[in-house]
Short mmCIF file of all heavy atoms in Angstrom, two decimals:
data_model
loop_
_atom_site.label_atom_id
_atom_site.label_comp_id
_atom_site.label_asym_id
_atom_site.label_seq_id
_atom_site.Cartn_x
_atom_site.Cartn_y
_atom_site.Cartn_z
N LYS A 91 -13.62 24.91 -7.03
CA LYS A 91 -12.73 24.34 -8.04
C LYS A 91 -12.66 22.83 -7.83
O LYS A 91 -12.58 22.36 -6.70
CB LYS A 91 -11.32 24.91 -7.87
CG LYS A 91 -11.15 26.31 -8.37
CD LYS A 91 -9.78 26.78 -8.04
CE LYS A 91 -8.93 26.90 -9.26
NZ LYS A 91 -7.60 27.43 -8.96
N PRO A 92 -12.68 22.06 -8.91
CA PRO A 92 -12.53 20.61 -8.74
C PRO A 92 -11.12 20.30 -8.26
O PRO A 92 -10.14 20.86 -8.74
CB PRO A 92 -12.79 20.05 -10.14
CG PRO A 92 -12.57 21.20 -11.06
CD PRO A 92 -12.86 22.44 -10.30
N ARG A 93 -11.02 19.44 -7.29
CA ARG A 93 -9.71 19.06 -6.76
C ARG A 93 -9.15 17.90 -7.54
O ARG A 93 -9.87 17.02 -7.98
CB ARG A 93 -9.85 18.66 -5.29
CG ARG A 93 -10.09 19.86 -4.41
CD ARG A 93 -10.19 19.51 -2.97
NE ARG A 93 -9.30 18.44 -2.60
CZ ARG A 93 -9.30 17.86 -1.41
NH1 ARG A 93 -10.13 18.25 -0.51
NH2 ARG A 93 -8.45 16.89 -1.13
N GLN A 94 -7.84 17.91 -7.69
CA GLN A 94 -7.17 16.82 -8.38
C GLN A 94 -7.10 15.62 -7.44
O GLN A 94 -6.72 15.77 -6.28
CB GLN A 94 -5.78 17.25 -8.80
CG GLN A 94 -5.06 16.22 -9.61
CD GLN A 94 -3.69 16.72 -10.03
OE1 GLN A 94 -3.20 17.70 -9.53
NE2 GLN A 94 -3.08 16.02 -10.95
N ILE A 95 -7.47 14.46 -7.94
CA ILE A 95 -7.48 13.26 -7.12
C ILE A 95 -6.14 12.55 -7.28
O ILE A 95 -5.75 12.18 -8.38
CB ILE A 95 -8.63 12.33 -7.51
CG1 ILE A 95 -9.97 13.06 -7.30
CG2 ILE A 95 -8.58 11.05 -6.71
CD1 ILE A 95 -11.15 12.31 -7.86
N LEU A 96 -5.45 12.39 -6.18
CA LEU A 96 -4.17 11.68 -6.18
C LEU A 96 -4.33 10.38 -5.41
O LEU A 96 -5.17 10.29 -4.52
CB LEU A 96 -3.09 12.54 -5.53
CG LEU A 96 -2.78 13.86 -6.23
CD1 LEU A 96 -1.77 14.65 -5.41
CD2 LEU A 96 -2.24 13.60 -7.61
N PRO A 97 -3.53 9.37 -5.73
CA PRO A 97 -3.64 8.12 -4.98
C PRO A 97 -3.28 8.34 -3.51
O PRO A 97 -2.40 9.13 -3.18
CB PRO A 97 -2.63 7.20 -5.66
CG PRO A 97 -1.77 8.06 -6.50
CD PRO A 97 -2.51 9.33 -6.75
N LYS A 98 -3.98 7.63 -2.63
CA LYS A 98 -3.74 7.77 -1.19
C LYS A 98 -2.58 6.91 -0.73
O LYS A 98 -2.03 7.12 0.32
CB LYS A 98 -5.00 7.43 -0.42
CG LYS A 98 -6.10 8.43 -0.66
CD LYS A 98 -7.29 8.19 0.20
CE LYS A 98 -8.33 9.23 -0.15
NZ LYS A 98 -9.42 9.27 0.75
N TRP A 99 -2.23 5.92 -1.50
CA TRP A 99 -1.10 5.06 -1.16
C TRP A 99 -0.06 5.19 -2.25
O TRP A 99 -0.34 5.64 -3.35
CB TRP A 99 -1.55 3.61 -1.04
CG TRP A 99 -2.15 3.12 -2.30
CD1 TRP A 99 -3.46 3.18 -2.67
CD2 TRP A 99 -1.47 2.54 -3.42
NE1 TRP A 99 -3.63 2.67 -3.93
CE2 TRP A 99 -2.42 2.27 -4.41
CE3 TRP A 99 -0.14 2.23 -3.67
CZ2 TRP A 99 -2.09 1.69 -5.62
CZ3 TRP A 99 0.17 1.66 -4.89
CH2 TRP A 99 -0.80 1.39 -5.84
N SER A 100 1.13 4.81 -1.92
CA SER A 100 2.20 4.88 -2.90
C SER A 100 3.23 3.81 -2.60
O SER A 100 3.49 3.49 -1.45
CB SER A 100 2.87 6.26 -2.85
OG SER A 100 3.99 6.28 -3.68
N SER A 101 3.80 3.26 -3.64
CA SER A 101 4.88 2.30 -3.44
C SER A 101 6.14 3.01 -2.96
O SER A 101 7.12 2.36 -2.60
CB SER A 101 5.15 1.52 -4.72
OG SER A 101 5.57 2.41 -5.73
N LEU A 102 6.13 4.35 -2.97
CA LEU A 102 7.28 5.10 -2.47
C LEU A 102 7.32 5.14 -0.96
O LEU A 102 8.27 5.65 -0.38
CB LEU A 102 7.26 6.53 -3.02
CG LEU A 102 7.38 6.63 -4.53
CD1 LEU A 102 7.28 8.08 -4.96
CD2 LEU A 102 8.67 6.03 -5.01
N ASP A 103 6.28 4.60 -0.30
CA ASP A 103 6.31 4.52 1.14
C ASP A 103 7.45 3.59 1.58
O ASP A 103 8.01 3.77 2.65
CB ASP A 103 4.98 4.03 1.68
CG ASP A 103 3.86 5.02 1.41
OD1 ASP A 103 4.16 6.22 1.18
OD2 ASP A 103 2.69 4.61 1.41
N ALA A 104 7.76 2.61 0.75
CA ALA A 104 8.90 1.73 1.00
C ALA A 104 10.06 2.21 0.12
O ALA A 104 9.84 2.75 -0.97
CB ALA A 104 8.54 0.30 0.64
N PRO A 105 11.30 2.03 0.56
CA PRO A 105 12.42 2.48 -0.26
C PRO A 105 12.53 1.70 -1.56
O PRO A 105 12.21 0.52 -1.62
CB PRO A 105 13.64 2.24 0.63
CG PRO A 105 13.20 1.29 1.68
CD PRO A 105 11.72 1.44 1.82
N LEU A 106 12.96 2.38 -2.62
CA LEU A 106 13.14 1.73 -3.92
C LEU A 106 14.38 0.86 -3.89
O LEU A 106 15.39 1.21 -3.29
CB LEU A 106 13.29 2.77 -5.02
CG LEU A 106 12.06 3.59 -5.35
CD1 LEU A 106 12.41 4.65 -6.37
CD2 LEU A 106 10.95 2.71 -5.86
N SER A 107 14.31 -0.27 -4.54
CA SER A 107 15.43 -1.17 -4.61
C SER A 107 16.20 -0.94 -5.91
O SER A 107 15.61 -0.92 -6.99
CB SER A 107 14.95 -2.62 -4.54
OG SER A 107 16.02 -3.51 -4.79
N THR A 108 17.51 -0.78 -5.81
CA THR A 108 18.33 -0.62 -7.02
C THR A 108 18.52 -1.96 -7.71
O THR A 108 19.00 -2.01 -8.84
CB THR A 108 19.70 -0.01 -6.67
OG1 THR A 108 20.33 -0.82 -5.70
CG2 THR A 108 19.53 1.40 -6.16
N ALA A 109 18.14 -3.06 -7.05
CA ALA A 109 18.26 -4.37 -7.66
C ALA A 109 17.17 -4.60 -8.71
O ALA A 109 17.25 -5.56 -9.46
CB ALA A 109 18.18 -5.46 -6.59
N HIS A 110 16.16 -3.74 -8.75
CA HIS A 110 15.07 -3.88 -9.70
C HIS A 110 14.99 -2.64 -10.59
O HIS A 110 14.08 -1.82 -10.46
CB HIS A 110 13.74 -4.08 -8.97
CG HIS A 110 13.71 -5.28 -8.09
ND1 HIS A 110 13.75 -6.56 -8.58
CD2 HIS A 110 13.69 -5.38 -6.74
CE1 HIS A 110 13.73 -7.41 -7.57
NE2 HIS A 110 13.70 -6.72 -6.44
N PRO A 111 15.94 -2.48 -11.52
CA PRO A 111 15.93 -1.27 -12.36
C PRO A 111 14.77 -1.23 -13.34
O PRO A 111 14.46 -0.19 -13.89
CB PRO A 111 17.27 -1.34 -13.09
CG PRO A 111 17.62 -2.78 -13.09
CD PRO A 111 17.06 -3.35 -11.82
N ASP A 112 14.10 -2.38 -13.56
CA ASP A 112 12.97 -2.41 -14.49
C ASP A 112 11.64 -2.14 -13.80
O ASP A 112 10.59 -2.19 -14.45
CB ASP A 112 12.90 -3.76 -15.21
CG ASP A 112 14.09 -3.96 -16.13
OD1 ASP A 112 14.62 -2.95 -16.63
OD2 ASP A 112 14.50 -5.11 -16.33
N GLN A 113 11.67 -1.85 -12.51
CA GLN A 113 10.45 -1.51 -11.79
C GLN A 113 9.88 -0.22 -12.37
O GLN A 113 10.60 0.75 -12.56
CB GLN A 113 10.75 -1.33 -10.30
CG GLN A 113 9.55 -0.91 -9.49
CD GLN A 113 9.91 -0.68 -8.03
OE1 GLN A 113 11.06 -0.86 -7.63
NE2 GLN A 113 8.94 -0.28 -7.25
N ILE A 114 8.59 -0.22 -12.68
CA ILE A 114 7.96 0.95 -13.29
C ILE A 114 7.25 1.77 -12.23
O ILE A 114 6.45 1.26 -11.46
CB ILE A 114 6.95 0.54 -14.39
CG1 ILE A 114 7.67 -0.21 -15.51
CG2 ILE A 114 6.23 1.75 -14.94
CD1 ILE A 114 6.77 -0.73 -16.59
N LEU A 115 7.58 3.06 -12.22
CA LEU A 115 6.90 4.01 -11.34
C LEU A 115 5.75 4.62 -12.12
O LEU A 115 5.91 4.94 -13.29
CB LEU A 115 7.86 5.13 -10.93
CG LEU A 115 9.15 4.73 -10.23
CD1 LEU A 115 10.08 5.92 -10.16
CD2 LEU A 115 8.84 4.21 -8.86
N SER A 116 4.61 4.77 -11.47
CA SER A 116 3.52 5.49 -12.13
C SER A 116 3.94 6.95 -12.27
O SER A 116 4.89 7.40 -11.65
CB SER A 116 2.22 5.38 -11.33
OG SER A 116 2.32 6.16 -10.15
N PHE A 117 3.21 7.69 -13.08
CA PHE A 117 3.55 9.09 -13.30
C PHE A 117 3.54 9.87 -11.98
O PHE A 117 4.45 10.65 -11.69
CB PHE A 117 2.58 9.72 -14.30
CG PHE A 117 2.78 11.19 -14.47
CD1 PHE A 117 3.87 11.68 -15.17
CD2 PHE A 117 1.89 12.09 -13.91
CE1 PHE A 117 4.07 13.04 -15.31
CE2 PHE A 117 2.07 13.46 -14.05
CZ PHE A 117 3.16 13.92 -14.76
N HIS A 118 2.52 9.65 -11.14
CA HIS A 118 2.42 10.36 -9.86
C HIS A 118 3.56 9.96 -8.92
O HIS A 118 4.10 10.79 -8.21
CB HIS A 118 1.07 10.11 -9.21
CG HIS A 118 -0.06 10.78 -9.91
ND1 HIS A 118 -0.26 12.13 -9.91
CD2 HIS A 118 -1.05 10.27 -10.69
CE1 HIS A 118 -1.32 12.44 -10.63
NE2 HIS A 118 -1.81 11.32 -11.13
N GLU A 119 3.92 8.67 -8.93
CA GLU A 119 5.03 8.22 -8.09
C GLU A 119 6.33 8.85 -8.55
O GLU A 119 7.16 9.25 -7.73
CB GLU A 119 5.13 6.69 -8.13
CG GLU A 119 4.01 5.99 -7.42
CD GLU A 119 4.02 4.49 -7.64
OE1 GLU A 119 4.63 4.03 -8.64
OE2 GLU A 119 3.43 3.79 -6.84
#
């Protein structure tokens, strides 16, 4: 079966800042 490729890195490795409510998360994030 073909495996789904997901990003190996994520901006979620660092905590999200509530000071930036306009920060866009990718769909996978």
Side-chain angles (χ1 to χ4, degrees):
K91 284 175 109 177
R93 287 182 36 187
Q94 185 178 13
I95 299 171
L96 298 175
K98 293 186 181 191
W99 59 270
S100 173
S101 62
L102 297 177
D103 295 339
L106 292 175
S107 172
T108 56
H110 301 292
D112 294 330
Q113 177 183 358
I114 298 176
L115 303 168
S116 71
F117 174 74
H118 290 289
E119 290 172 339

